[in-house]
Amino acid sequence: MMPVKKDSSGRRSVEAEVDVSGTPEQVWDAIASGPGISSWFVPTTLDERVGGATVSSFAPDHSMDSQATITEWQPPRRFVAESTQDGPGTVATEWTVEAKAGGVCTVRVVHSWFAETDDWDNQFEGHSFGWRAFFSILRVYLKHFPGQPCTVVQLMVMSTEAMPAAWGALVGPLGLADARVDAQVTTPQGAPELSGVVEVVNPPQWPGLIARLEKPAPGVAHLFAMPVGGQTMMPIRIYLYGNAAADLAGAIETTWRRWLGDRFPASPPGA
């Protein structure tokens, strides 16, 4: 995680960045439009103008929507959106795209806020770790599926088990408990179909993995676990790319819901 930076004015900030393939215009479309952001982050709408709203949905039932207002808009290089959060108050999030040699751009996100105490530092440092995972998906998207239409199957289950046990109960039956980067993986019979190459495996203290999929359709699977309120929350997002993605998503979501409901009956997947 990136440490929080502090200056004498009381401003605090934390940032994350990634190098990705593409022209500034291609990369801008991926980070500064609703369809683009939804192709690697979470389902998002974005009104591309100063004063426009951006809404990102972190839960299938929209119970965890994050809203912000665009305050600066400079395509294809930079935009800033501000949100109001309990505790730290106004938080500004700045996105920039910097062109580099060789058809590569650097994407950088900076969260900044004003505070006199360290109360919120850990939370924002955690945000920077979260961006590392989503930036891995962004990198895969721009390298393998740039500009393709995307439909996201978004699910989530809760478990009363501690995080290691809950994570094991999810990935064990999927045949992913021992997944390694660059390994070819295929889920066993009876489990929802996933077949592809592992791109990222998180450290054990932050369980998660990302796989680039060949089946059930070209795409990316992102599974991870995190503690929430004494329980373990496990989001599952499957990004499906291509013209057939929308037609396939319904059946794939139904299969996952049924499978998750059988294994976590006390916590049916969020709607």
Side-chain angles (χ1 to χ4, degrees), residues 18-42:
V18 63
D19 287 342
V20 296
S21 302
T23 65
E25 291 75 17
Q26 289 172 321
V27 176
W28 177 261
D29 187 64
I31 69 157
S33 72
I37 297 168
S38 301
S39 297
W40 59 273
F41 187 43
V42 299

Side-chain angles (χ1 to χ4, degrees), residues 127-187:
H127 288 342
S128 71
F129 184 87
W131 282 122
R132 286 175 54 188
F134 284 114
F135 280 173
S136 294
I137 301 170
L138 174 62
R139 188 188 297 116
V140 173
Y141 167 65
L142 284 169
K143 181 177 180 180
H144 297 280
F145 311 105
Q148 293 190 27
C150 177
T151 300
V152 184
V153 175
Q154 185 167 229
L155 306 115
M156 183 175 65
V157 291
M158 300 294 293
S159 173
T160 57
E161 298 284 345
M163 194 159 58
W167 178 247
L170 175 63
V171 297
L174 293 172
L176 301 174
D178 298 318
R180 297 289 182 268
V181 173
D182 294 330
Q184 182 79 32
V185 293
T186 300
T187 51

